[in-house]
């Protein structure tokens, strides 16, 4: 018998994000320092058994309906298709967020293992800029990875773009056009203060309004009535699909947030910007039963705050960067 995973503000949580590694093969300037981070030792990572157990408790007890695997770069976790095979029978909307650099060799195996769809992160279509942004010459691999995901039927493929002033804001229309031409929904994400180097500044955020104005001037748009998803959506008037913005900074969607997050070392975070975490790994490894785990999920979510405070004097940057939380 399942019950809703509900917090003190009436929000029901259905979406579970699981980071399965903190490692990454790219070094996106807004996410990781050039030298990488201090990677977590292997024994600190949740095992596949532990991940499956936590996911199962959440699905069985609280009717979680979506599971997204993320990282670091989730495709770097050894034997990822085996984990997907373990999670697929839970029957959720199972997806990954990936930089796609390895998808040309992994997409078919992931699909066969039961993965439903992928979100691919790509912030520039220009090789020189891609290198500046990621410190790696891997644009061709990402483009092949996108093709492989489409060929494997990991659909709908979605593209995540972090829009940054003076960095890639002149490519917003090109990236939207790329999505339109390939039948890929593009989601522009407002730059958030979760970068490892602390280089975030409010004036580097390209706002939702600026993004929509730029695209709408070239490809006329109609707004799609807001659902519960964090992305605000617009439909191309010529019928060539949709484009979205995740306006975490200028129009936070905290009031509709239905997400919880597990870090690769087994910490439960009820908000991207949480400054406290609940240690599930200690509980699991201490022999906790399912009732105890379920009780802990209910308590932690019950205590979730109303929303983040970006831009306000009381905002505190979380200790972890985005690569350690999972996005
Ligand atoms: N490595 C995978 C990838 O890049 O898709 C998964 C992990 S990555 C941390 C998840 C998402 O977070 C990516 O779409 C990335 O662009 C986004 N991201 C990272 N740092 C961000 C920041 N400071 N503000 C907004 N989005 C960010
Ligand atoms: Fe790696 Fe993704 Fe962070 Fe880029 S955004 S450094 S690909 S984890």
């Amino acid at each position: 018998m399942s019950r809703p995973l509900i917090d003190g503000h009436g929000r029901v949580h259905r979406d579970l994000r699981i980071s399965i590694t903190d490692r990454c093969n790219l070094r996106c300037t807004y996410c990781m320092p050039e030298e990488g981070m201090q990677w977590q030792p292997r024994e600190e990572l949740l095992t596949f058994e532990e991940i499956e157990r936590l996911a199962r408790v959440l699905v069985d007890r609280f009717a979680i309906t979506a599971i997204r695997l993320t990282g670091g770069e989730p495709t770097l976790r050894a034997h990822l298709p085996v984990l997907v095979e373990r999670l697929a029978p839970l029957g959720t909307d199972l997806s990954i967020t990936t930089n796609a650099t390895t998808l040309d060799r992994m997409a078919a195996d992931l699909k066969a293992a039961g993965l439903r769809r992928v979100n691919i992160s790509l912030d520039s279509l220009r090789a020189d800029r891609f290198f500046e942004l990621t410190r790696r010459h891997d644009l061709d691999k990402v483009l092949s990875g996108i093709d492989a995901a489409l060929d494997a039927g990991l659909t709908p493929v979605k593209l995540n773009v972090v829009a940054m002033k003076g960095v890639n804001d002149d490519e917003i229309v090109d990236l939207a056009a790329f999505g339109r031409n390939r039948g890929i929904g593009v989601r522009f994400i407002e730059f958030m203060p979760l970068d490892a180097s602390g280089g975030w500044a409010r004036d580097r955020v390209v706002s939702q309004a600026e993004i929509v104005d730029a695209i709408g001037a070239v490809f006329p748009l109609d707004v799609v009535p807001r659902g519960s998803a964090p992305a605000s959506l617009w439909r191309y008037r010529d019928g060539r699909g949709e484009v979205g913005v995740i306006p975490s900074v200028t129009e936070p969607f905290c009031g509709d947030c239905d997400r919880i997050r597990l870090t690769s070392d087994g910490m439960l975070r009820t908000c991207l910007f949480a400054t406290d975490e609940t240690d599930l790994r200690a509980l699991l490894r201490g022999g906790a039963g399912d009732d105890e785990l379920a009780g802990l999920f209910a308590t932690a979510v019950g205590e979730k705050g109303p929303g983040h405070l970006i831009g306000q004097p009381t905002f505190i940057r979380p200790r972890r960067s985005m690569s350690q939380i999972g996005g």
Side-chain angles (χ1 to χ4, degrees), residues 126-201:
R126 302 182 193 170
D128 52 343
R129 183 174 287 169
F130 181 92
F131 174 70
E132 276 165 31
L133 268 167
T134 66
R135 303 176 176 117
R136 296 290 182 271
H137 291 288
D138 282 341
L139 177 61
D140 286 347
K141 280 193 201 161
V142 176
L143 297 175
S144 314
I146 293 173
D147 289 340
L150 290 166
D151 289 348
L154 286 169
T155 46
V157 173
K158 290 185 190 164
L159 208 64
N160 290 348
V161 178
V162 180
M164 289 161 287
K165 272 230 168 98
V167 176
N168 64 348
D169 48 345
D170 57 345
E171 268 191 88
I172 287 172
V173 173
D174 290 351
L175 285 153
F178 175 80
R180 280 165 53 86
N181 295 336
R182 307 296 312 271
I184 294 172
V186 181
R187 302 281 178 271
F188 290 90
I189 306 172
E190 288 181 351
F191 182 30
M192 292 184 276
L194 284 167
D195 52 316
S197 58
W200 184 89

Side-chain angles (χ1 to χ4, degrees), residues 9-309:
H9 310 275
R11 296 169 295 196
V12 175
H13 292 71
R14 299 190 181 86
D15 188 338
L16 169 63
R17 304 277 158 115
I18 310 177
S19 173
I20 57 173
T21 178
D22 63 335
R23 291 172 189 248
C24 191
N25 53 342
L26 300 187
R27 298 284 184 274
C28 301
T29 50
Y30 55 80
C31 180
M32 266 219 210
E34 186 156 14
E35 64 283 8
M37 318 271 289
Q38 181 79 40
W39 305 134
Q40 285 156 346
R42 197 182 160 74
E43 64 279 8
E44 289 189 7
L45 298 183
L46 291 187
T47 63
F48 286 180
E49 289 75 13
E50 290 168 334
I51 293 170
E52 182 191 346
R53 170 126 186 261
L54 291 174
R56 187 174 292 282
V57 168
L58 282 163
V59 170
D60 289 352
R61 304 289 182 104
F62 300 110
I64 289 287
T65 55
I67 297 180
R68 164 90 49 94
L69 301 179
T70 175
E73 174 46 40
T75 62
L76 297 190
R77 179 83 188 243
H79 313 297
L80 175 59
V82 174
L83 176 62
V84 169
E85 240 164 42
R86 281 173 169 260
L87 297 177
L90 297 177
T92 63
D93 175 18
L94 184 59
S95 62
I96 61 170
T97 300
T98 173
N99 62 33
T101 50
T102 63
L103 278 189
D104 53 348
R105 47 191 166 83
M106 291 188 68
D109 285 350
L110 290 171
K111 174 72 181 176
L115 190 71
R116 291 201 188 167
R117 59 191 184 86
V118 289
N119 278 31
I120 292 175
S121 306
L122 174 63
D123 305 316
S124 176
L125 294 164
R126 302 182 193 170
D128 52 343
R129 183 174 287 169
F130 181 92
F131 174 70
E132 276 165 31
L133 268 167
T134 66
R135 303 176 176 117
R136 296 290 182 271
H137 291 288
D138 282 341
L139 177 61
D140 286 347
K141 280 193 201 161
V142 176
L143 297 175
S144 314
I146 293 173
D147 289 340
L150 290 166
D151 289 348
L154 286 169
T155 46
V157 173
K158 290 185 190 164
L159 208 64
N160 290 348
V161 178
V162 180
M164 289 161 287
K165 272 230 168 98
V167 176
N168 64 348
D169 48 345
D170 57 345
E171 268 191 88
I172 287 172
V173 173
D174 290 351
L175 285 153
F178 175 80
R180 280 165 53 86
N181 295 336
R182 307 296 312 271
I184 294 172
V186 181
R187 302 281 178 271
F188 290 90
I189 306 172
E190 288 181 351
F191 182 30
M192 292 184 276
L194 284 167
D195 52 316
S197 58
W200 184 89
R202 181 68 181 75
D203 61 7
R204 293 186 63 198
V205 176
V206 187
S207 70
Q208 167 166 283
E210 291 169 312
I211 293 167
V212 174
D213 283 353
I215 299 171
V218 182
F219 306 118
L221 294 168
D222 290 317
V223 70
V224 177
R226 181 99 192 230
S228 62
S232 315
L233 283 182
W234 284 262
R235 192 173 292 126
Y236 291 112
R237 211 167 279 164
D238 63 6
R240 301 270 298 276
E242 290 177 342
V243 63
V245 182
I246 305 191
S248 324
V249 178
T250 64
E251 292 182 37
F253 39 87
C254 301
D256 291 323
C257 177
D258 70 346
R259 290 183 185 164
I260 55 171
R261 294 181 160 82
L262 277 181
T263 64
S264 48
D265 54 349
M267 303 295 145
L268 172 65
R269 297 178 64 86
T270 57
C271 175
L272 208 44
F273 296 94
T275 47
D276 55 353
E277 306 179 329
T278 306
D279 189 347
L280 289 167
R281 190 186 62 199
L283 215 65
L284 274 171
R285 295 187 182 172
D290 287 357
D291 288 345
E292 202 177 336
L293 291 170
L296 200 124
F297 282 123
T299 305
V301 172
E303 290 168 356
K304 176 166 169 165
H308 70 63
L309 298 166

